[in-house]
Amino acid sequence: MQFSSTSSYVAPRDLTVAVNAAITLERPLLVKGEPGTGKTELARQIAQAMGMELIEWQVKSTTRAQQGLYEYDAVSRLRDSQLGDPRVEDVSHYIRKGKLWQAFEAPQRVVLLIDEIDKADIEFPNDLLAELDRMEFHVYETGQTVRARQRPVILITSNNEKDLPDAFLRRCFFHYIRFPDAETLARIVAVHFPDIKSDLLAAALEQFFEIRDTAGLKKKPSTSEMLDWLKLLLAEDLAPADLKRDAATALPKLHGALLKNEQDVALFERLAFMARGQRNSPR
């Protein structure tokens, strides 16, 4: 089965090629790109399109690789032993299965999402090398070896906050999701807002890319922020003429959906001030 765009997700050709190549090679697909470009949503769409269950492992700064395999609750076992609970004789009662274990033992092939791997410690990817290569791991407390019934489709996302180890990269198929061009972004918008008027969409896209291309912008607005902005424009029933920027600040209408920090808001205000000064200066 080949992955392609779905009714709710526009996948450029290079992205579909990458997904299908990773599945064919049985390698994890490492996807990088700006926040908000649909990396996490890609895993959900792959699972939906291929009729597989999705298992999501959300990585945080405190996440350890061992948690993806299993965790042994020694504290609970000690407490139960003090209370005379007979369950303490079976250590398996105190083993909590992690996301990799769940994916390995699933009766049918699943999609495993390891989301934002670059948030964790630098050793986190290296600690998963053997398990992702061999599709098995050992549970020391019980002496059992857990092997994957079927190799899961593994999607790993990164926001490029830190470099990943070379040994880990070597085992992955890599793809960088480029920010969509105007034509692709219009197709994405059409999926979410099929009834949007073409003149409003054209005006909104023009202003959106002008904002993204503004020099000195600390955080460029993403695809998801563009969709939020359009939702607000439609809710306010604004027309293309209403999108004309405020001459006093040069800020776009409902700019809080696009500009997410005070530095970028101040940047547009400074640009407006400079533009007013140029207009008012004697010639």
Side-chain angles (χ1 to χ4, degrees):
M1 184 182 296
Q2 296 284 300
F3 173 73
S4 61
S5 295
T6 69
S7 59
S8 57
Y9 189 88
V10 176
R13 174 166 172 73
D14 60 340
L15 179 56
T16 61
V17 168
V19 171
N20 292 317
I23 293 173
T24 300
L25 293 173
E26 295 187 329
R27 295 277 190 182
L29 174 61
L30 174 61
V31 179
K32 291 186 178 183
E34 293 180 30
T37 50
K39 300 185 295 296
T40 301
E41 183 61 25
L42 174 62
R44 299 178 182 133
Q45 294 298 323
I46 293 173
Q48 179 182 329
M50 306 188 77
M52 298 180 186
E53 177 189 355
L54 173 64
I55 296 178
E56 299 187 48
W57 185 10
Q58 301 291 337
V59 177
K60 301 178 181 179
S61 60
T62 56
T63 302
R64 295 176 293 106
Q66 180 64 33
Q67 293 171 311
L69 308 180
Y70 68 93
E71 291 184 277
Y72 169 51
D73 192 351
V75 174
S76 292
R77 192 181 188 199
L78 175 61
R79 182 196 60 220
D80 288 349
S81 67
Q82 293 171 340
L83 296 174
D85 193 321
R87 292 191 309 164
V88 298
E89 301 300 327
D90 185 355
V91 70
S92 65
H93 288 136
Y94 304 94
I95 300 293
R96 186 181 297 112
K97 297 177 181 179
K99 298 297 185 179
L100 262 71
W101 192 331
Q102 295 172 31
F104 284 5
E105 73 171 4
Q108 304 295 330
R109 196 179 190 190
V110 302
V111 175
L112 173 63
L113 169 64
I114 305 177
D115 205 17
E116 298 188 333
I117 194 171
D118 52 327
K119 281 187 175 181
D121 183 86
I122 189 63
E123 292 303 321
F124 178 90
N126 280 335
D127 291 342
L128 291 175
L129 290 180
E131 289 77 12
L132 294 180
D133 251 0
R134 302 173 186 170
M135 287 287 118
E136 66 178 39
F137 61 89
H138 188 70
V139 183
Y140 295 97
E141 289 78 6
T142 63
Q144 71 182 114
T145 297
V146 178
R147 294 184 177 87
R149 295 185 181 183
Q150 299 90 16
R151 181 179 287 267
V153 176
I154 301 175
L155 179 69
I156 303 170
T157 71
S158 168
N159 287 327
N160 240 356
E161 293 182 7
K162 63 168 68 83
D163 292 334
L164 298 174
D166 289 345
F168 180 80
L169 295 174
R170 184 170 59 82
R171 290 165 169 81
C172 298
F173 190 94
F174 172 76
H175 183 75
Y176 184 86
I177 297 182
R178 296 179 179 84
F179 194 83
D181 57 22
E183 180 183 351
T184 304
L185 192 54
R187 289 170 54 205
I188 294 172
V189 170
V191 167
H192 294 270
F193 306 107
D195 298 325
I196 191 170
K197 295 179 180 178
S198 58
D199 55 349
L200 176 61
L201 175 58
L205 284 174
E206 180 181 1
Q207 189 167 127
F208 176 77
F209 279 103
E210 285 178 0
I211 294 169
R212 272 190 61 89
D213 293 340
T214 300
L217 202 63
K218 184 176 181 181
K219 183 195 177 302
K220 295 183 178 183
S222 67
T223 307
S224 63
E225 288 159 341
M226 167 67 172
L227 295 175
D228 287 344
W229 186 50
L230 281 176
K231 185 175 182 179
L232 291 174
L233 298 182
L234 293 172
E236 295 290 331
D237 197 22
L238 298 182
D242 298 322
L243 298 187
K244 186 176 180 180
R245 296 197 203 173
D246 184 345
T249 63
L251 288 169
K253 288 288 190 299
L254 302 165
H255 64 271
L258 299 174
L259 305 176
K260 296 302 177 73
N261 59 69
E262 63 276 15
Q263 294 97 322
D264 288 343
V265 172
L267 171 64
F268 277 88
E269 292 173 341
R270 286 197 304 274
L271 293 173
F273 177 79
M274 294 167 60
R276 290 198 304 272
Q278 291 174 353
R279 287 196 302 268
N280 297 332
S281 61
R283 300 195 178 190

